[in-house]
Amino acid sequence: YLHQEYFLIKILLLAIEIYYSGETDLLPTIESLLKSILGVGKGRRENSHLNIEVSYHQANEIVSPLIDDKEEIIRHESKINQIEELLEPAEKVTACLILLPYLCEDGKLFFKENLDPKRAIRAGFAKTGRLTQFISTTSNKKDKEQRVKSAIADLLRQLGYIDPFNKTKKNQRVSFDIPMTAMHIMNRKNTPYGDTKKVFLAVTREANEGPVTVECPALWNGKKRYWEACLLFQEIATPEGILKIKSRKVVNDIKNKVYELYTITESPHILLVNSNGVSRREWGMITDSKLSTMEKKA
């Protein structure tokens, strides 16, 4: 985590909020690991470059099950509305760890499937400008440190931080100082308001540490910082968010990005393509048969 501070300098202001209910033995572990990773486990760390504030909130209402109603949309939106009433809009980049029970003592799921609040909490927090990462409070107590460490790493990933790559014997021929763009087609995203249509995504990591930016023409023009894109994707599961997706031909977005990289980009650039079934149906050129034919034709 030596490069964490380098990344956070670019953010300048960062709030980390922990939400929980009742008694939990994870809080001391969270505080200890945040201190070792970011230099502050509770309260504020401030210097000439950055300002990090870590706060803890007992929020029994927020982490409670959804209301028991037959209509999925009513259950979902009731939780979102509750969150908006309880939380003020975030004024800075805000990342949240949310502690939720997973299993009961008898091994059964704590939340009934139709009353599980995770998706609604994620959508509601996104509407207030907060990123979310969940931690189970009822898994094996022996692995709690690893669970917390993984959750913090995932939260930092949402902020757009990635570990810098170093040359090893296995990757001596790869220069990680070359910017990389990964293209992906999101087949669909399930929401209480129906499934979304296919959308094209391009995630770009500038030389080594970053920054990481995201393009999604169906939702916005140009590039967004990774954490901004995460918020917009999480907000899709809200009545306002689902309406923001514009209908587009995915293959045209692919062509536009490839054209940009091939003809406009002057410096070297690596393009990664997720060659799954969805991508191959949209872009036939990347099927095995087409690639082998082109290879024979040199």
Side-chain angles (χ1 to χ4, degrees), residues 13 48 57 97 110-111 152 229 233 280:
L13 298 173
S48 59
H57 308 270
L97 291 171
F110 186 88
F111 295 113
I152 293 173
F233 287 133
R280 291 197 297 272

Side-chain angles (χ1 to χ4, degrees), residues 2-282:
L2 294 177
H3 291 261
Q4 227 87 7
E5 185 163 328
Y6 167 81
F7 165 72
L8 294 173
I9 286 173
K10 299 176 183 179
I11 289 182
L12 296 180
L13 298 173
L14 172 66
I16 295 180
E17 299 174 348
I18 294 89
Y19 291 85
Y20 63 97
S21 67
E23 295 294 326
T24 172
D25 63 348
L26 289 182
L27 295 182
T29 305
I30 291 172
E31 184 175 344
S32 174
L33 285 172
L34 283 175
K35 187 171 184 179
S36 67
I37 294 169
L38 297 177
V40 56
K42 190 174 185 179
R44 183 176 300 230
R45 177 191 175 191
E46 188 173 0
N47 58 36
S48 59
H49 298 297
L50 58 90
N51 183 325
I52 307 176
E53 185 174 9
V54 181
S55 58
Y56 296 77
H57 308 270
Q58 183 163 351
N60 297 2
E61 290 181 87
I62 289 177
V63 298
S64 63
L66 301 180
I67 62 170
D68 196 355
D69 190 281
K70 293 182 180 179
E71 296 291 331
E72 180 186 8
I73 291 178
I74 293 176
R75 297 195 303 266
H76 184 77
E77 292 186 357
S78 293
K79 176 62 70 176
I80 292 174
N81 293 337
Q82 180 189 54
I83 290 169
E84 287 190 287
E85 290 176 3
L86 292 171
L87 300 181
E88 295 289 334
E91 295 181 350
K92 61 182 81 171
V93 181
T94 304
C96 304
L97 291 171
I98 301 173
L99 280 57
L100 278 181
Y102 175 59
L103 296 175
C104 299
E105 292 183 0
D106 59 4
K108 295 182 179 179
L109 292 175
F110 186 88
F111 295 113
K112 294 181 180 178
E113 186 175 353
N114 64 332
L115 302 183
D116 191 327
K118 282 194 288 295
R119 183 164 62 171
I121 290 174
R122 195 181 292 280
F125 270 57
K127 284 194 72 176
T128 68
R130 291 170 168 84
L131 297 165
T132 51
Q133 178 64 41
F134 295 100
I135 305 181
S136 168
T137 62
T138 50
S139 297
N140 187 346
K141 304 297 182 183
K142 294 180 181 179
D143 68 349
K144 65 180 181 180
E145 183 168 325
Q146 183 55 46
R147 285 188 290 119
V148 172
K149 188 179 292 185
S150 297
I152 293 173
D154 281 341
L155 200 62
L156 292 172
R157 174 189 53 76
Q158 289 190 60
L159 290 169
Y161 169 81
I162 57 171
D163 285 309
F165 294 95
N166 297 309
K167 285 187 178 296
T168 65
K169 290 182 180 180
K170 290 184 179 180
N171 61 32
Q172 286 180 346
R173 292 182 294 177
V174 179
S175 173
F176 292 106
D177 290 326
I178 298 176
M180 297 184 184
T181 292
M183 297 197 322
H184 173 63
I185 298 172
M186 186 169 72
N187 189 25
R188 64 184 177 86
K189 183 177 176 69
N190 176 261
T191 80
Y193 312 97
D195 293 348
T196 63
K197 296 179 180 179
K198 294 185 182 73
V199 298
F200 167 82
L201 302 171
V203 181
T204 299
R205 189 219 68 187
E206 299 302 333
N208 220 337
E209 285 99 347
V212 179
T213 56
V214 183
E215 296 166 80
C216 182
L219 271 172
W220 62 78
N221 296 322
K223 295 182 177 181
K224 294 280 187 186
R225 286 173 289 184
Y226 194 88
W227 64 268
E228 293 175 308
C230 284
L231 284 176
L232 288 167
F233 287 133
Q234 291 166 13
E235 200 177 339
I236 287 175
T238 67
E240 301 87 356
I242 192 73
L243 297 176
K244 293 180 180 178
I245 300 180
K246 300 183 289 287
S247 181
R248 296 178 63 90
K249 287 187 176 180
V250 170
V251 69
N252 288 345
D253 291 331
I254 293 172
K255 289 178 180 178
N256 289 340
K257 189 61 187 176
V258 173
Y259 178 82
E260 173 198 328
L261 292 176
Y262 187 70
T263 63
I264 300 174
T265 305
E266 295 180 357
S267 57
H269 202 103
I270 296 174
L271 175 62
L272 307 174
V273 179
N274 184 1
S275 181
N276 57 12
V278 177
S279 300
R280 291 197 297 272
R281 283 193 295 273
E282 295 293 334

